[in-house]
Amino acid sequence: MTDLDTRVTPSRAPLLRRAAPALLGYAAVRALGLVVLAGWSAARGKSAHTLLAARWDSLWYSRVAELGYGYEVRLPNGDVHSNLAFFPLLPWLERLLHAALPLSYADAGLVVSLLVSLAAACGIFAVAEKVYGARVGVCAVLLWAVLPVGIVQSMAYSESLFTALAAWSLYALLTGRWLTAGTLAALAGLTRPVGAAVVAAVWVAGVISFVRERSAMRTPGARNAGHAQAHTPSASNGENSPAHAPGAPEGTHTPAPAPGASATTRTPGAQSPAATPDARHTPDAPAVSGRRRALGMLIAPLGAAGYVLWVGRRTGRGPLGYLDVQAGWRNGFDGGYAFARFVADKFTSFPSALAGTGLIVGVALLLWLYVTGVRRRQPVELLVYTGVVLALALCASSYFGSKPRLLLPAFPVLLPLACALARLRTSRAVLVTVVSALAAAVYGAFWLNGSGPP
C-alpha cells in the first residue's frame, strides 16, 4: 500500500485555520533565520537589511519599481546586463506598496516578500493536504522553510511570490477551479520565466480532462451519469468533495481526482446522483465546465507571453528579443551541458572534488524524489509542474550559484520527504525540524555574508 491508497477525513474548519500550525512553524523558522543573520552580519560589520533588500537581484527589482525599464550595465567583456531580464509583477507590487505606505522601494520589497512567503506556505499546505492530508501538509511547509537556501524566502526576491502563485494555481487545478488556475498561472508568468511550468501544468491537466471527458461520453450510459456527476458539489468546485475516506488512518492517502473528474463518492444504499431532480434538469453543466476549462487554458499563458512580446517590441528584435536580453546575462538553455562541465571541473583538484561530489549527490536526490513522486502517483499537475521547474533549473546555462534558489519553487519534490517526516513520532519530527532549522539559519547567514545568491 502506498501513501496514496486511502484518505483521511478532512476537517470542516476553514483552510486558514487548518493551516495555522504550518504557518506558525514557518514563521518561527523564518524568524530564527533572520535573528541569526542579524547577529552574524553585525559581527562582520555588515547590514542584514542591505543583504536582504539592497543587493543582487533585489536591487535590480527596486530600480525597476522606482525608475522603470531601460536601465542596463555594460561590462568590460562586452556583456550587457539589462533590467528587461526581470519580470514586472514584483516591481509593480513594490511600487504599489511604496505609493500606499511610507516605505522605500527596498522596504516595500521586504514587506511584499514577508506577505507572499506566508501565502506560499499556506498554498503548499493546501496542496499537500489535498493530496496527502493535514499532517503531511504541515511537514511539507516546514521542510520548505528549512531548506539550506530558505533565507531567500525572506529576501526582496521573486521566488516567494512565484511559489505562492504556483502553489495556489496547482491547488485550483486539484479542486477544479479552472478560471482561478489560469489567472494565477498568468500572474506567475509575469513573475519569473519559470512561469512556463505553471502554464504547462494547466494545459496538460486541461487536455487530460478533455480527453477523459470525451472518452466517458462515448461510453454507453456514461452521458447521463456524466451530467449527473457534473452537478454534484464536488464536481462543481472540488471544495465539498471528501478529500479523504472516513475512518482512514492519518498519513495514508489516495491520489487526488483527475483534472475535471468527479470526486463524488457513494455510500451503500445511497440514491444514485443520476436519479436526483437536479441532475435531470441541469444538462448543460458539462458544457459550462468545458468553457471554463478552455478559458482558463487560454488565460494561463497570457502573462509570460505578453511580457516577452513587449520586450521584443521594446528592443526592436521581435519575439526573440527576450532571449537576446537573457543572453546578455549569459543565461540560456543548453540541456545541462554547461552545468555538467561545471561539475566535472570540480574534480580537477581534491578540495573542490568534495563540492563536485556534493553536487552530484544533490542532483541525484532531486531526481530520486521526483521519480518517487511518479511511482506514488502524485497528481499529474504536480508532476508536470515539478518536472518543468527541475528541467529549467538544472539544464540552464545560468550562473551556477543561482541553481539552489531556482529550485525553491519545486516544492512538490519535497512531498515524499514530508510523508516520511509525518510518519515519525511527533517528538522526533519536532527534533528533526529544529535541527534542520538551526542548520539552515546558520548556513543562510554564512551564505549571505559570503558569496550570497546572485
Side-chain angles (χ1 to χ4, degrees), residues 182-195:
T183 301
L184 292 173
L187 292 174
L190 284 171
T191 306
R192 297 188 62 80
V194 76

Side-chain angles (χ1 to χ4, degrees), residues 251-277:
T252 55
H253 315 276
T254 51
S262 171
T264 305
T265 57
R266 300 182 186 179
T267 55
Q271 185 181 20
S272 168
T276 63

Side-chain angles (χ1 to χ4, degrees), residues 6-10 129-134 241-246 248 252-254:
T6 57
R7 290 184 174 187
V8 178
T9 305
E129 183 201 41
K130 182 68 178 176
V131 181
Y132 293 106
S241 62
H244 310 291
T252 55
H253 315 276
T254 51

Side-chain angles (χ1 to χ4, degrees), residues 294-363:
L295 186 56
M297 293 173 68
L298 289 174
I299 292 173
L302 294 183
Y307 181 69
V308 168
L309 292 175
W310 179 81
V311 170
R313 181 179 179 182
R314 183 181 177 95
T315 59
R317 300 171 186 172
L320 300 181
Y322 182 76
L323 297 181
D324 293 335
V325 170
Q326 287 286 6
W329 286 82
R330 298 294 180 96
N331 291 335
F333 188 87
D334 61 3
Y337 174 73
F339 185 41
R341 287 190 58 185
F342 175 78
V343 175
D345 289 342
K346 294 293 183 182
F347 290 92
T348 57
S349 62
F350 171 71
S352 63
L354 297 177
T357 302
L359 288 172
I360 292 175
V361 171
V363 172

Side-chain angles (χ1 to χ4, degrees), residues 26 29-30 32-34 36-37 40 52 140-155 159 358-359 361-363 365-366 369 401-410 413-414 417 432-453:
Y26 177 80
V29 173
R30 291 272 49 84
L32 174 64
L34 293 176
V36 173
L37 175 64
W40 193 298
L52 292 170
V141 171
L142 293 177
L143 287 175
W144 191 65
V146 302
L147 289 173
V149 294
I151 190 65
V152 174
Q153 299 162 19
S154 299
M155 299 177 67
E159 273 76 11
L359 288 172
V361 171
V363 172
L365 176 61
L366 283 173
L369 288 173
S402 321
K403 292 190 181 295
R405 70 174 177 85
L406 296 180
L407 291 166
L408 274 177
V413 82
L414 298 173
L417 293 178
V432 170
T433 303
V434 170
V435 172
S436 300
L438 288 171
V442 171
Y443 179 78
F446 167 78
W447 190 38
L448 289 197
N449 279 276
S451 61

Side-chain angles (χ1 to χ4, degrees), residues 20 32 67 103 173 179 217 229 249 256 286 315 353 357 379-380 412 435 438:
L32 174 64
L67 304 173
L103 295 172
L173 287 177
L179 289 177
M217 295 303 288
Q229 290 183 358
T315 59
T357 302
V380 67
V435 172
L438 288 171

Side-chain angles (χ1 to χ4, degrees), residues 13-171:
L15 176 59
L16 190 59
R17 185 180 301 174
R18 302 198 306 270
L23 295 179
L24 290 174
Y26 177 80
V29 173
R30 291 272 49 84
L32 174 64
L34 293 176
V35 169
V36 173
L37 175 64
W40 193 298
S41 301
R44 294 177 59 89
K46 295 184 178 181
S47 167
H49 178 271
T50 299
L51 294 174
L52 292 170
R55 289 191 66 189
W56 305 294
D57 287 6
S58 57
L59 190 58
W60 284 90
Y61 281 120
S62 63
R63 283 174 175 168
V64 172
E66 182 179 5
L67 304 173
Y69 286 103
Y71 176 80
E72 63 184 29
V73 176
R74 294 184 178 273
L75 303 182
N77 64 357
D79 290 343
V80 178
H81 289 183
S82 169
N83 64 1
L84 290 170
F86 297 88
F87 277 52
L89 186 56
L90 177 57
W92 287 349
L93 294 176
E94 290 177 347
R95 182 179 299 176
L96 178 63
L97 203 58
H98 169 77
L101 299 173
L103 295 172
S104 67
Y105 290 102
D107 288 338
L110 286 181
V111 173
V112 170
S113 178
L114 169 65
L115 296 177
V116 298
S117 65
L118 291 172
C122 192
I124 292 171
F125 172 85
V127 170
E129 183 201 41
K130 182 68 178 176
V131 181
Y132 293 106
R135 185 177 176 88
V136 176
V138 173
C139 292
V141 171
L142 293 177
L143 287 175
W144 191 65
V146 302
L147 289 173
V149 294
I151 190 65
V152 174
Q153 299 162 19
S154 299
M155 299 177 67
Y157 271 44
S158 61
E159 273 76 11
S160 291
L161 174 60
F162 176 80
T163 304
L165 294 168
W168 284 108
S169 180
L170 293 172
Y171 180 72

